[in-house]
């Protein structure tokens, strides 16, 4: 499998991205790692290695989309940027996955403009990784791609999340919960109440009802459904807890160690015709390597094909 | 000052509530603590004390609103419940504050039906306590009273929160931030964008812009503005982090110790004509005692009068 990595993406790019790419290439010798970026910089970094991995390729990109740039504008104005080139390669089928720790908005817009949403998927979502104290992990959709959602979008997130958890995370019949401000049916906004009713009678979702904030880090639900604001707040709050614990030199048990974003590397965009993972802006080489590992799991699971089939069969249910 | 406490409210009531009331009576000997509940139970508890505090009064309530009951229905059907009687006393001016660790919804509805919202306040909010690593504390509105909000409601939460932080928490010119999924102006839903613009040009709010989930436990903003869903999720998530740390026997630094809800006792309803504090369902005697302390601060600060004046002067700005 061929996995392309934006060598220019992230706060510590290109060094951190290139070093993470090298770590990934060494670890996954059945894969080709394509580093997209300023070729002279990448080449000089690789040349300095005693043992240069053979499974690294370089694709030159003369432009860089910076972290603060307006996503759509930047993609239009910088067709030679590493992100624009990555998505062109993904859409052309030259690579099996593309990942970057760069501008999140540009990654989202780039995905929607190039490989596009899967037919029938109204709003692709970012899936955030949620570690659990029992050692398992779940995901949360949406972790920040969508600020404004209708009930039907949230219901579809449940479908996307269920299939993702089943195929990529290999959870046989994932439990799905709806984040709300109380457990009881009938709690929350009109939108959340409507989502609750749709999921309760859903043909395949294993819906367990409403969740509260205290349930995020429990084994109650494998898939947490929420809007982009709540999901984003939860992920960033959890990350800050990890950092506060580290700052305080608190000895961490195995659960709190897993709040370290470096260990899971990145968040996939779910619901598009391609494997795309967005990394944390502050990605270290370890985080970059794990972002590549995340791409590998998505490629292996063929998750987008599975989502496509599920959405299609829901739109055209089999006749008796 | 006379502070009434629902002796029947909370998962460990009446024992925990009565013991907390006794702790409060011993600690605050300038106050009268009114215990509202089944008088025989309260009396038998007090009679067993060697040193019965003289500043405890008992008001009999023959009914109890249970935790799971429908708030409005329960208040109508149980006029002799401790919560109904507490609000009657508050509305009549017999007590200076009323607090309970019982049914949150019944406390909210009871407040709105009895002492009512301050004139001009569209939606009273629950203010959640937010400890900061630098040893200070802030508040977050709304922590769960309102599931559905318009921009104007959130703008008013900023006003309520600013005045509360200034008068009760004695922060001279509190900074106010808007919880969002990104820092930049223009982020988030249409509602959040509109709130941002209103706060930016607000006559007295010290607005510092958008906040992200990672900013909750920093000194960035004294007052966090958000809707009831996000606020509730943040508070309950933070609480679960404290519990996970305790379960793991992690040695806690002073910041994480403060995530213990027992230390601040309860969350005030802000924007009503009375001092009302809602405690955690699982309140221990220590939490109950601290909920009474919270009532004392609100009474001393005369916060509702200050809110009323501020709202009135905004509706009728002084003429030049």
């Amino acid at each position: 499998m061929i996995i392309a990595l934006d060598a220019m993406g992230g706060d510590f790019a290109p060094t951190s991205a290139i070093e993470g790419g090298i770590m990934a290439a060494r670890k996954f010798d059945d894969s080709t790692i394509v580093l997209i970026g300023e070729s002279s910089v990448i080449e000089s970094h690789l040349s300095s290695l005693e043992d240069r991995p053979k499974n690294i390729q370089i694709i030159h990109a003369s432009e860089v989309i910076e972290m603060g740039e307006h996503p759509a504008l930047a993609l239009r104005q910088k067709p030679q940027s590493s992100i624009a080139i990555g998505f062109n390669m993904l859409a052309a089928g030259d690579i099996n996955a593309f990942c970057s720790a760069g501008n999140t908005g540009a990654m989202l817009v780039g995905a929607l403009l190039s490989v596009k949403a899967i037919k029938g998927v109204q709003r692709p979502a970012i899936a955030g990784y949620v570690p659990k104290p029992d050692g398992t992990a779940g995901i949360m959709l949406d972790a920040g791609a969508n600020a404004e959602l209708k009930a039907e979008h949230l219901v579809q997130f449940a479908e996307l999340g269920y299939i993702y958890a089943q195929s990529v995370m290999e959870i046989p019949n994932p439990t799905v919960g709806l984040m709300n401000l109380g457990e009881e049916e009938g709690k929350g906004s009109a939108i959340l109440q409507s989502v609750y009713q749709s999921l309760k009678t859903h043909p395949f979702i294993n819906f367990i009802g409403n969740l509260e904030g205290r349930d995020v880090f429990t084994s109650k639900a494998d898939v947490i459904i929420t809007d982009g604001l709540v999901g984003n707040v939860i992920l960033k709050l959890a990350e800050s807890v990890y950092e506060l614990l580290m700052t305080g030199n608190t000895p961490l048990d195995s659960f709190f160690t897993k709040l370290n974003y470096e260990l899971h590397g990145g968040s996939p965009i779910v619901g598009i015709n391609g494997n795309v993972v967005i990394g944390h802006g502050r990605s270290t080489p370890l985080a970059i390597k794990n972002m590549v590992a995340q791409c590998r799991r998505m490629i292996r699971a063929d998750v987008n094909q599975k989502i496509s089939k599920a959405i299609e069969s829901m739109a055209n249910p089999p006749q008796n």
Side-chain angles (χ1 to χ4, degrees), chain A residues 110-126:
Chain A
L112 292 174
L113 293 177
S114 61
V115 293
K116 298 188 172 66
I118 290 169
K119 193 181 164 201
V121 173
Q122 301 181 58
R123 301 282 194 101
I126 295 178

Side-chain angles (χ1 to χ4, degrees), chain A residues 123-194:
Chain A
R123 301 282 194 101
I126 295 178
Y129 176 89
V130 184
K132 308 285 182 178
D134 67 3
T136 65
I139 50 162
M140 179 166 61
L141 294 79
D142 174 27
N146 301 280
E148 221 132 2
L149 293 167
K150 295 181 185 169
E152 62 200 77
H153 301 143
L154 286 159
V155 172
Q156 205 170 55
F157 288 173
E159 294 158 4
L160 299 178
Y162 181 89
I163 299 168
Y164 186 92
Q166 202 174 42
S167 56
V168 181
M169 305 175 84
E170 299 179 348
I171 303 169
N173 183 23
T175 48
V176 177
L178 180 65
M179 190 52 63
N180 207 326
L181 43 67
E183 282 182 323
E184 302 86 352
E185 188 172 340
K187 282 275 180 178
S189 65
I191 287 180
L192 289 184
Q193 290 182 40
S194 158

